[in-house]
């Protein structure tokens, strides 16, 4: 992973190959996932899918593989495939808010705001302190034209823990909303709160 992050793709690929040749490495979902992400980022779709699949053979419930694979497929525009992957990941990991949030975002971006709302709400029930879910939900409502609902969600997300780093993202996004709505004074205060956090 460090080699890949430094732009040494060939070296990183060799490390992954060496890793999966060992008994422990072949059974490591993390290696298969990381290698799959590498291939996905360099554009080898077929190889990335094969590697994600191998990781799921080793660990069928790996929330990290389901999430990485589903989000990647969505970025490529394969929405139905992404929906299937994220939905299956959610079924196998019903307590994982990150998978649920990713599925909710996918549904919102696909225009299924009603379903997205149910999924976002389910995420807040699972973990009411998960501020990225509040932020994603508020942004989805804003994009759907529900400004007051978005404001309410930003506020609820901030109240979870106003001093947590994730609150800065909520304050910032809320500030952008208010700025675009012409509430410059409020936007300025929200930006200040983001900087303070």
């Amino acid at each position: 992973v460090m080699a890949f992050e430094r732009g040494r793709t060939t070296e990183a690929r060799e490390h992954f190959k060496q890793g999966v040749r060992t008994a422990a490495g072949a059974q490591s979902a993390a290696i298969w996932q990381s290698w799959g992400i590498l291939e996905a980022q360099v554009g080898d779709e077929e190889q990335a899918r094969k590697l994600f699949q191998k990781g799921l053979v080793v660990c069928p419930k790996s929330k990290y593989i389901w999430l990485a694979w589903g989000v990647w497929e969505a970025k490529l525009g394969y929405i139905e495939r992404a929906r299937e992957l994220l939905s299956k990941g959610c079924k196998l990991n019903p307590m994982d808010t990150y998978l649920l949030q990713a599925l909710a975002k996918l549904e919102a971006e696909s225009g299924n705001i009603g379903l997205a709302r149910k999924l976002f709400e389910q995420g807040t029930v699972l973990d009411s302190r998960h501020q990225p879910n509040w932020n994603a939900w508020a942004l989805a409502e804003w994009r759907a034209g529900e400004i007051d609902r978005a404001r309410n969600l930003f506020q609820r997300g901030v109240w979870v823990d106003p001093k947590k780093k994730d609150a800065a993202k909520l304050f910032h996004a809320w500030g952008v909303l208010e700025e675009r709505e012409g509430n410059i004074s409020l936007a300025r205060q929200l930006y200040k709160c983001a900087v303070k956090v």
Side-chain angles (χ1 to χ4, degrees):
V1 171
M2 285 175 50
F4 182 57
E5 287 173 352
R6 289 184 165 74
R8 300 193 308 258
T9 305
T10 304
E11 179 187 340
R13 191 178 283 122
E14 283 305 310
H15 288 304
F16 287 130
K17 286 179 182 177
Q18 289 173 10
V20 298
R21 285 187 196 120
T22 67
Q27 296 301 310
S28 170
I31 290 178
W32 293 111
Q33 179 214 356
S34 297
W35 189 3
I37 290 171
L38 177 149
E39 299 300 347
Q41 288 183 5
V42 299
D44 191 340
E45 293 180 26
E46 185 179 337
Q47 181 67 358
R49 288 185 186 104
K50 285 179 183 176
L51 294 166
F52 287 138
Q53 286 171 344
K54 286 182 180 183
L56 290 174
V57 167
V58 169
C59 182
K61 288 180 66 174
S62 174
K63 60 185 179 182
Y64 304 107
I65 295 175
W66 290 111
L67 182 62
W69 192 0
V71 169
W72 173 66
E73 293 285 4
K75 283 181 185 173
L76 293 177
Y78 300 116
I79 304 305
E80 195 52 45
R81 186 178 297 155
R83 183 178 286 121
E84 289 172 19
L85 292 165
L86 293 170
S87 294
K88 187 158 186 184
C90 285
K91 286 177 187 164
L92 293 169
N93 300 278
M95 302 304 287
D96 189 83
T97 53
Y98 291 95
L99 276 164
L100 199 56
Q101 176 191 331
L103 181 58
K105 284 174 65 174
L106 177 76
E107 294 300 348
E109 290 164 6
S110 298
N112 303 323
I113 193 67
L115 177 55
R117 281 183 186 123
K118 290 177 186 174
L119 295 168
F120 282 126
E121 186 171 4
Q122 191 179 340
T124 63
V125 170
L126 282 176
D127 183 0
S128 64
R129 300 185 61 77
H130 183 66
Q131 288 177 314
N133 189 62
W134 288 106
N135 197 36
W137 189 2
L139 290 170
E141 294 292 357
W142 179 12
R143 288 185 193 107
E146 297 290 339
I147 305 300
D148 289 336
R149 185 176 279 174
R151 283 184 178 117
N152 178 276
L153 292 165
F154 282 130
Q155 187 174 51
R156 288 172 66 190
V158 166
W159 282 345
V160 165
D161 190 346
K163 295 181 181 180
K164 192 174 177 186
K165 286 184 183 180
D166 284 331
K169 293 177 184 175
L170 283 154
F171 279 125
H172 176 260
W174 188 4
V176 172
L177 179 150
E178 295 300 350
E179 182 179 353
R180 292 197 182 152
E181 290 296 308
N183 302 320
I184 304 303
S185 178
L186 177 55
R188 189 174 287 122
Q189 291 305 313
L190 292 166
Y191 291 145
K192 285 179 183 178
C193 290
V195 170
K196 189 175 181 180
V197 172

CSV table of all heavy atoms in Angstrom, one decimal, residues 123-155:
chain,number,residue,atom,x,y,z
A,123,GLY,N,-29.6,4.4,9.3
A,123,GLY,CA,-28.2,4.7,9.8
A,123,GLY,C,-28.2,5.5,11.1
A,123,GLY,O,-27.4,5.2,11.9
A,124,THR,N,-29.1,6.5,11.2
A,124,THR,CA,-29.0,7.3,12.4
A,124,THR,C,-29.6,6.5,13.6
A,124,THR,O,-29.2,6.7,14.7
A,124,THR,CB,-29.8,8.6,12.3
A,124,THR,OG1,-31.2,8.3,12.0
A,124,THR,CG2,-29.3,9.5,11.2
A,125,VAL,N,-30.4,5.5,13.3
A,125,VAL,CA,-30.9,4.7,14.4
A,125,VAL,C,-29.8,3.7,14.9
A,125,VAL,O,-29.6,3.5,16.1
A,125,VAL,CB,-32.2,3.9,14.0
A,125,VAL,CG1,-32.5,2.8,15.0
A,125,VAL,CG2,-33.3,4.8,13.7
A,126,LEU,N,-29.1,3.2,13.9
A,126,LEU,CA,-28.0,2.3,14.2
A,126,LEU,C,-26.9,3.0,15.0
A,126,LEU,O,-26.3,2.5,16.0
A,126,LEU,CB,-27.3,1.7,12.9
A,126,LEU,CG,-28.0,0.6,12.2
A,126,LEU,CD1,-27.3,0.2,11.0
A,126,LEU,CD2,-28.2,-0.6,13.1
A,127,ASP,N,-26.5,4.2,14.6
A,127,ASP,CA,-25.5,5.0,15.3
A,127,ASP,C,-25.8,6.5,15.1
A,127,ASP,O,-25.4,7.1,14.1
A,127,ASP,CB,-24.1,4.7,14.6
A,127,ASP,CG,-23.0,5.4,15.3
A,127,ASP,OD1,-23.2,6.1,16.3
A,127,ASP,OD2,-21.8,5.2,14.9
A,128,SER,N,-26.5,7.0,16.1
A,128,SER,CA,-26.9,8.4,16.0
A,128,SER,C,-25.7,9.4,16.1
A,128,SER,O,-25.8,10.6,15.8
A,128,SER,CB,-27.8,8.7,17.2
A,128,SER,OG,-27.2,8.6,18.4
A,129,ARG,N,-24.5,8.9,16.5
A,129,ARG,CA,-23.3,9.7,16.6
A,129,ARG,C,-22.5,9.7,15.3
A,129,ARG,O,-21.4,10.3,15.3
A,129,ARG,CB,-22.5,9.3,17.8
A,129,ARG,CG,-23.3,9.4,19.1
A,129,ARG,CD,-22.5,9.1,20.3
A,129,ARG,NE,-21.4,10.0,20.5
A,129,ARG,CZ,-21.4,11.2,21.0
A,129,ARG,NH1,-22.6,11.7,21.3
A,129,ARG,NH2,-20.3,12.0,21.1
A,130,HIS,N,-22.9,9.0,14.3
A,130,HIS,CA,-22.2,8.9,13.1
A,130,HIS,C,-22.4,10.1,12.2
A,130,HIS,O,-23.3,10.2,11.4
A,130,HIS,CB,-22.6,7.6,12.3
A,130,HIS,CG,-21.8,7.3,11.1
A,130,HIS,ND1,-20.5,7.0,11.1
A,130,HIS,CD2,-22.2,7.3,9.8
A,130,HIS,CE1,-20.1,6.9,9.8
A,130,HIS,NE2,-21.1,7.0,9.0
A,131,GLN,N,-21.6,11.2,12.4
A,131,GLN,CA,-21.8,12.4,11.8
A,131,GLN,C,-21.7,12.4,10.2
A,131,GLN,O,-22.4,13.1,9.6
A,131,GLN,CB,-20.9,13.5,12.4
A,131,GLN,CG,-21.3,13.9,13.8
A,131,GLN,CD,-20.3,14.9,14.4
A,131,GLN,OE1,-19.1,14.7,14.4
A,131,GLN,NE2,-20.9,15.9,15.1
A,132,PRO,N,-20.8,11.6,9.6
A,132,PRO,CA,-20.8,11.5,8.2
A,132,PRO,C,-22.2,11.1,7.6
A,132,PRO,O,-22.6,11.6,6.5
A,132,PRO,CB,-19.8,10.5,7.8
A,132,PRO,CG,-18.8,10.6,9.0
A,132,PRO,CD,-19.7,10.8,10.2
A,133,ASN,N,-22.9,10.3,8.3
A,133,ASN,CA,-24.3,9.9,7.8
A,133,ASN,C,-25.2,11.1,7.8
A,133,ASN,O,-26.0,11.4,6.9
A,133,ASN,CB,-24.8,8.8,8.6
A,133,ASN,CG,-26.1,8.2,8.0
A,133,ASN,OD1,-26.1,7.8,6.9
A,133,ASN,ND2,-27.2,8.3,8.8
A,134,TRP,N,-25.2,11.9,8.9
A,134,TRP,CA,-26.0,13.1,9.0
A,134,TRP,C,-25.6,14.1,7.9
A,134,TRP,O,-26.5,14.7,7.2
A,134,TRP,CB,-25.8,13.8,10.3
A,134,TRP,CG,-26.4,13.1,11.5
A,134,TRP,CD1,-25.7,12.4,12.5
A,134,TRP,CD2,-27.8,13.0,11.9
A,134,TRP,NE1,-26.6,11.9,13.4
A,134,TRP,CE2,-27.9,12.3,13.1
A,134,TRP,CE3,-28.9,13.5,11.3
A,134,TRP,CZ2,-29.1,12.0,13.7
A,134,TRP,CZ3,-30.2,13.2,11.9
A,134,TRP,CH2,-30.2,12.5,13.1
A,135,ASN,N,-24.4,14.2,7.6
A,135,ASN,CA,-23.9,15.1,6.6
A,135,ASN,C,-24.4,14.7,5.2
A,135,ASN,O,-24.9,15.5,4.4
A,135,ASN,CB,-22.4,15.2,6.6
A,135,ASN,CG,-21.8,16.4,5.9
A,135,ASN,OD1,-22.4,17.5,5.8
A,135,ASN,ND2,-20.7,16.3,5.2
A,136,ALA,N,-24.2,13.4,4.9
A,136,ALA,CA,-24.6,12.9,3.6
A,136,ALA,C,-26.1,13.0,3.4
A,136,ALA,O,-26.6,13.3,2.3
A,136,ALA,CB,-24.2,11.4,3.5
A,137,TRP,N,-26.9,12.8,4.5
A,137,TRP,CA,-28.3,12.9,4.4
A,137,TRP,C,-28.7,14.3,4.1
A,137,TRP,O,-29.5,14.6,3.3
A,137,TRP,CB,-29.0,12.4,5.7
A,137,TRP,CG,-30.4,12.3,5.7
A,137,TRP,CD1,-31.3,12.5,4.6
A,137,TRP,CD2,-31.3,11.8,6.8
A,137,TRP,NE1,-32.6,12.3,5.0
A,137,TRP,CE2,-32.6,11.8,6.3
A,137,TRP,CE3,-31.0,11.4,8.1
A,137,TRP,CZ2,-33.7,11.5,7.1
A,137,TRP,CZ3,-32.1,11.1,8.9
A,137,TRP,CH2,-33.4,11.1,8.4
A,138,ALA,N,-28.1,15.3,4.9
A,138,ALA,CA,-28.4,16.7,4.7
A,138,ALA,C,-28.1,17.1,3.2
A,138,ALA,O,-28.9,17.8,2.6
A,138,ALA,CB,-27.7,17.5,5.7
A,139,LEU,N,-27.0,16.7,2.7
A,139,LEU,CA,-26.6,17.0,1.4
A,139,LEU,C,-27.6,16.5,0.3
A,139,LEU,O,-27.9,17.1,-0.6
A,139,LEU,CB,-25.1,16.5,1.1
A,139,LEU,CG,-24.0,17.3,1.8
A,139,LEU,CD1,-22.7,16.6,1.6
A,139,LEU,CD2,-23.9,18.7,1.3
A,140,ALA,N,-28.0,15.2,0.6
A,140,ALA,CA,-29.0,14.6,-0.3
A,140,ALA,C,-30.3,15.4,-0.3
A,140,ALA,O,-30.9,15.6,-1.4
A,140,ALA,CB,-29.2,13.2,0.1
A,141,GLU,N,-30.7,15.9,0.8
A,141,GLU,CA,-32.0,16.7,0.9
A,141,GLU,C,-31.8,18.0,0.2
A,141,GLU,O,-32.7,18.5,-0.5
A,141,GLU,CB,-32.4,16.9,2.4
A,141,GLU,CG,-32.8,15.6,3.1
A,141,GLU,CD,-34.1,15.0,2.6
A,141,GLU,OE1,-34.8,15.5,1.7
A,141,GLU,OE2,-34.4,13.9,3.1
A,142,TRP,N,-30.6,18.6,0.4
A,142,TRP,CA,-30.4,19.9,-0.2
A,142,TRP,C,-30.4,19.7,-1.8
A,142,TRP,O,-31.1,20.5,-2.4
A,142,TRP,CB,-29.0,20.4,0.2
A,142,TRP,CG,-28.5,21.7,-0.4
A,142,TRP,CD1,-29.3,22.6,-1.1
A,142,TRP,CD2,-27.2,22.2,-0.3
A,142,TRP,NE1,-28.5,23.7,-1.4
A,142,TRP,CE2,-27.2,23.5,-0.9
A,142,TRP,CE3,-26.0,21.8,0.3
A,142,TRP,CZ2,-26.1,24.2,-1.1
A,142,TRP,CZ3,-24.9,22.6,0.2
A,142,TRP,CH2,-24.9,23.8,-0.5
A,143,ARG,N,-29.8,18.7,-2.3
A,143,ARG,CA,-29.8,18.4,-3.7
A,143,ARG,C,-31.2,18.2,-4.2
A,143,ARG,O,-31.5,18.4,-5.4
A,143,ARG,CB,-28.9,17.3,-4.1
A,143,ARG,CG,-27.4,17.6,-4.0
A,143,ARG,CD,-26.5,16.4,-4.4
A,143,ARG,NE,-25.2,16.7,-4.0
A,143,ARG,CZ,-24.5,16.0,-3.1
A,143,ARG,NH1,-25.2,15.1,-2.4
A,143,ARG,NH2,-23.3,16.3,-2.8
A,144,ALA,N,-32.1,17.6,-3.3
A,144,ALA,CA,-33.5,17.3,-3.7
A,144,ALA,C,-34.3,18.6,-3.5
A,144,ALA,O,-35.5,18.5,-3.8
A,144,ALA,CB,-34.0,16.2,-2.8
A,145,GLY,N,-33.7,19.7,-3.1
A,145,GLY,CA,-34.5,20.9,-3.0
A,145,GLY,C,-35.2,21.1,-1.7
A,145,GLY,O,-35.9,22.1,-1.5
A,146,GLU,N,-34.9,20.3,-0.7
A,146,GLU,CA,-35.5,20.3,0.6
A,146,GLU,C,-34.6,21.1,1.6
A,146,GLU,O,-33.9,20.5,2.4
A,146,GLU,CB,-35.8,18.9,1.1
A,146,GLU,CG,-36.8,18.1,0.3
A,146,GLU,CD,-38.2,18.6,0.5
A,146,GLU,OE1,-38.5,19.3,1.4
A,146,GLU,OE2,-39.0,18.4,-0.5
A,147,ILE,N,-34.5,22.4,1.4
A,147,ILE,CA,-33.6,23.2,2.1
A,147,ILE,C,-33.8,23.2,3.6
A,147,ILE,O,-32.9,23.0,4.4
A,147,ILE,CB,-33.7,24.7,1.6
A,147,ILE,CG1,-33.5,24.8,0.1
A,147,ILE,CG2,-32.7,25.6,2.4
A,147,ILE,CD1,-32.1,24.3,-0.4
A,148,ASP,N,-35.1,23.4,4.1
A,148,ASP,CA,-35.3,23.4,5.5
A,148,ASP,C,-35.0,22.0,6.1
A,148,ASP,O,-34.5,21.9,7.2
A,148,ASP,CB,-36.8,23.7,5.8
A,148,ASP,CG,-37.1,25.2,5.5
A,148,ASP,OD1,-36.1,26.0,5.6
A,148,ASP,OD2,-38.2,25.6,5.3
A,149,ARG,N,-35.3,20.9,5.4
A,149,ARG,CA,-35.0,19.6,5.9
A,149,ARG,C,-33.5,19.4,6.0
A,149,ARG,O,-33.0,18.9,7.0
A,149,ARG,CB,-35.6,18.5,5.0
A,149,ARG,CG,-35.4,17.1,5.6
A,149,ARG,CD,-36.1,16.1,4.7
A,149,ARG,NE,-37.5,16.1,5.0
A,149,ARG,CZ,-38.4,15.4,4.3
A,149,ARG,NH1,-38.1,14.7,3.3
A,149,ARG,NH2,-39.7,15.4,4.7
A,150,ALA,N,-32.8,19.9,5.0
A,150,ALA,CA,-31.3,19.9,5.0
A,150,ALA,C,-30.7,20.6,6.2
A,150,ALA,O,-29.9,20.1,7.0
A,150,ALA,CB,-30.7,20.4,3.7
A,151,ARG,N,-31.3,21.8,6.5
A,151,ARG,CA,-30.8,22.6,7.6
A,151,ARG,C,-31.0,21.9,8.9
A,151,ARG,O,-30.1,21.8,9.8
A,151,ARG,CB,-31.6,23.9,7.7
A,151,ARG,CG,-31.2,25.0,6.8
A,151,ARG,CD,-32.0,26.3,7.0
A,151,ARG,NE,-31.5,27.3,6.1
A,151,ARG,CZ,-32.3,27.9,5.2
A,151,ARG,NH1,-33.6,27.5,5.1
A,151,ARG,NH2,-31.9,28.8,4.4
A,152,ASN,N,-32.2,21.3,9.1
A,152,ASN,CA,-32.5,20.5,10.3
A,152,ASN,C,-31.5,19.4,10.5
A,152,ASN,O,-31.0,19.1,11.6
A,152,ASN,CB,-33.9,20.0,10.2
A,152,ASN,CG,-34.3,19.2,11.4
A,152,ASN,OD1,-34.0,18.0,11.5
A,152,ASN,ND2,-34.9,19.8,12.4
A,153,LEU,N,-31.2,18.7,9.4
A,153,LEU,CA,-30.2,17.5,9.5
A,153,LEU,C,-28.8,18.0,9.8
A,153,LEU,O,-28.1,17.3,10.6
A,153,LEU,CB,-30.3,16.7,8.2
A,153,LEU,CG,-31.6,16.0,8.0
A,153,LEU,CD1,-31.7,15.5,6.5
A,153,LEU,CD2,-31.8,14.8,9.0
A,154,PHE,N,-28.4,19.1,9.2
A,154,PHE,CA,-27.1,19.6,9.5
A,154,PHE,C,-27.0,19.9,11.0
A,154,PHE,O,-26.0,19.6,11.7
A,154,PHE,CB,-26.7,20.9,8.7
A,154,PHE,CG,-26.3,20.7,7.3
A,154,PHE,CD1,-26.9,21.4,6.3
A,154,PHE,CD2,-25.3,19.8,7.0
A,154,PHE,CE1,-26.5,21.2,4.9
A,154,PHE,CE2,-24.9,19.6,5.7
A,154,PHE,CZ,-25.5,20.3,4.6
A,155,GLN,N,-28.0,20.6,11.5
A,155,GLN,CA,-28.1,21.0,12.9
A,155,GLN,C,-28.1,19.7,13.8
A,155,GLN,O,-27.3,19.7,14.8
A,155,GLN,CB,-29.3,21.8,13.2
A,155,GLN,CG,-29.3,22.4,14.6
A,155,GLN,CD,-30.5,23.4,14.7
A,155,GLN,OE1,-31.6,23.0,14.4
A,155,GLN,NE2,-30.2,24.6,15.2
